[in-house]
Amino acid sequence: MLIDLHTHSYYSDGLLSPKEVVRKAVNAGCNFFSLTDHDTLAGLEEAKKFAESFNLTFINGVEISAQQNSQSIHIVGLGVNPSEKLLIDGLKKNNQFRIDRAKEISEGLGNVGIQRAYEKARALSKTDNITRTHFAQMLIKENICSNMSSVFKRYMTGKKPGAVKGKWALSAEVISWIHQAGGLAILAHPLRYKMTLTKLKKLVKDLRFLGLDGIEVVNSFSSAEDIRISKMIADENELLYSGGSDFHGWAGQTIELGNIPKFDYGEKLVINYLI
Ligand code: AMP
Ligand code: MN
Ligand code: MN
Ligand code: MN
C-alpha cells in the first residue's frame, strides 16, 4: 500500500498543475493521495475530478501556516470540505499576510541591492499565492544563489535581509477551521522545525491539547531514526500517523512523489479515520 498525503501544485509553491501532480501519483502507484497546497483550496476540484478517472483515492487537503507562540508551523488538514466558510475565510487571512509579507521581503531584498523582487517573484507564481519558494526560485534564476537551501540560509531566515517574522493564524484557530470542515489536523514534518526534542515534545503536547489529530511520521528524507522519534512522539500523545513526500516538482529538487520510506502504519493510519 502506497500513500502520499503531502504534495504541492502551482496553486501554491509547486511547479506542476493539479492534473500533472495526480498523474505523478498514478504513475507512482499511490493508493491514497492528497494535494495539500499552502493556505489554498484552489487546486482541489481539478485534482479530485482527474483522480476519479483512475484507481486512486483522492483526499482533499491543505497545508496551513500557523503560529504556535513565536514558532511558525505547518498544519495539514486532510479530508476537509472545500466549501466550508470558516475554513475559506480563515485562509483569506493567511493569504493577506502572504501578500503583506511578500512586499516586506521585497523591501528587505531591495536593501541589499536586489531590485523589484516582489514583481519578479510574482511573475513566477500562477496566482497571488506568493511563497518564499517563489522568491527562492527567482534568486536562483537571477544567479544570485545556486540552490534553495543556500537562498534560505543567506536571505530568508533568522536576521537575513529577506526574513520576516510569521504572523499567521494561531494554531488553535487553524485546528478549529479544519475540524469545522470535517477534516483531521496533522502536524507536518515535525522534525523540520529545528527544535530540541524537549521543545518539540512540548509543542506536540500543546497542539494535542488544542485538538491535533495526528503527525507526519514519514517524509521524503526521513531516516530510520527520524521515523522512530516521530512515531514515539505520536504514540506518547495518542496521535494518528500520516506520511507524505512534500513534493514540489521544481528543477533540482530530488523529492519524488510517492517516494517515501516504507512504514507499517497499521490501524493508526489517518486514512482509517477520515469520513
Ligand atoms: P512560505 O510558506 O511562503 O513561508 O514558504 C515556505 C516554503 O518554503 C516551504 O513550504 C518549503 O517549500 C520552502 N522552504 C522552506 N525552507 C526551505 C529550505 N531550507 N530549503 C528549501 N525549501 C524551503
Ligand atoms: Mn512549500
Ligand atoms: Mn511545510
Ligand atoms: Mn509542504
Side-chain angles (χ1 to χ4, degrees):
M1 206 244 336
L2 184 64
I3 64 165
D4 195 333
L5 304 176
H6 188 152
T7 67
H8 296 275
S9 76
Y10 61 38
Y11 283 104
S12 64
D13 60 349
L15 184 72
L16 306 179
S17 70
K19 271 191 181 175
E20 290 168 318
V21 179
V22 168
R23 175 71 69 188
K24 288 241 171 213
V26 171
N27 290 344
C30 287
N31 306 97
F32 297 100
F33 161 73
S34 183
L35 179 69
T36 55
D37 275 314
H38 295 284
D39 300 306
T40 180
L41 308 163
L44 296 180
E45 199 180 321
E46 177 184 326
K48 191 174 173 59
K49 267 201 191 136
F50 196 55
E52 275 167 4
S53 56
F54 301 98
N55 187 19
L56 169 69
T57 305
F58 179 75
I59 291 141
N60 281 322
V62 58
E63 181 176 17
I64 309 182
S65 315
Q67 286 305 128
Q68 179 67 3
N69 304 320
S70 57
Q71 176 81 38
S72 294
I73 58 171
H74 287 169
I75 300 176
V76 167
L78 292 178
V80 291
N81 168 9
S83 310
E84 170 53 48
K85 191 170 181 311
L86 192 73
L87 176 62
I88 294 169
D89 289 348
L91 293 178
K92 275 187 199 150
K93 284 193 269 177
N94 266 359
N95 282 302
Q96 186 54 53
F97 172 62
R98 269 193 187 284
I99 293 167
D100 298 344
R101 184 189 66 162
K103 291 180 181 152
E104 255 188 83
I105 292 175
S106 186
E107 261 180 50
L109 295 177
N111 292 338
V112 291
I114 301 165
Q115 302 307 325
R116 301 183 58 251
Y118 179 85
E119 289 78 2
K120 291 185 215 158
R122 176 66 185 80
L124 292 180
S125 178
K126 287 263 190 304
T127 69
D128 281 335
N129 191 336
I130 304 175
T131 69
R132 288 185 296 164
T133 304
H134 296 109
F135 283 97
Q137 291 298 329
M138 180 274 285
L139 293 175
I140 293 168
K141 197 166 164 241
E142 303 257 314
N143 287 321
I144 295 168
C145 290
S146 59
N147 57 54
M148 295 277 279
S149 75
S150 90
V151 175
F152 280 87
K153 254 184 230 144
R154 285 170 58 195
Y155 290 101
M156 313 292 286
T157 49
K159 293 196 183 329
K160 300 296 162 60
V164 178
K165 224 171 131 13
K167 279 189 209 141
W168 307 107
L170 302 179
S171 359
E173 296 177 88
V174 169
I175 292 170
S176 73
W177 305 339
I178 293 170
H179 285 166
Q180 183 71 27
L184 294 175
I186 311 294
L187 179 64
H189 41 66
L191 301 183
R192 230 182 283 159
Y193 301 115
K194 299 196 174 82
M195 302 174 98
T196 61
L197 186 59
T198 313
K199 286 209 169 129
L200 178 61
K201 282 188 172 192
K202 166 134 183 18
L203 171 76
V204 175
K205 202 170 165 210
D206 291 348
L207 292 172
R208 178 64 171 138
F209 182 73
L210 298 173
L212 188 76
D213 300 290
I215 70 174
E216 288 180 353
V217 288
V218 186
N219 298 117
S220 278
F221 302 122
S222 302
S223 66
E225 180 64 1
D226 293 343
I227 296 173
R228 189 188 67 78
I229 294 169
S230 308
K231 179 182 181 304
M232 175 187 73
I233 296 173
D235 291 345
E236 279 175 5
N237 293 282
E238 293 184 33
L239 289 163
L240 301 172
Y241 306 145
S242 186
S245 63
D246 209 355
F247 172 79
H248 286 73
W250 292 96
Q253 293 197 303
T254 49
I255 290 176
E256 261 314 318
L257 199 153
N259 186 15
I260 58 174
K262 284 208 164 30
F263 177 74
D264 182 13
Y265 296 90
E267 264 304 289
K268 289 195 190 169
L269 174 61
V270 62
I271 297 292
N272 295 328
Y273 297 80
L274 293 173
I275 2 158

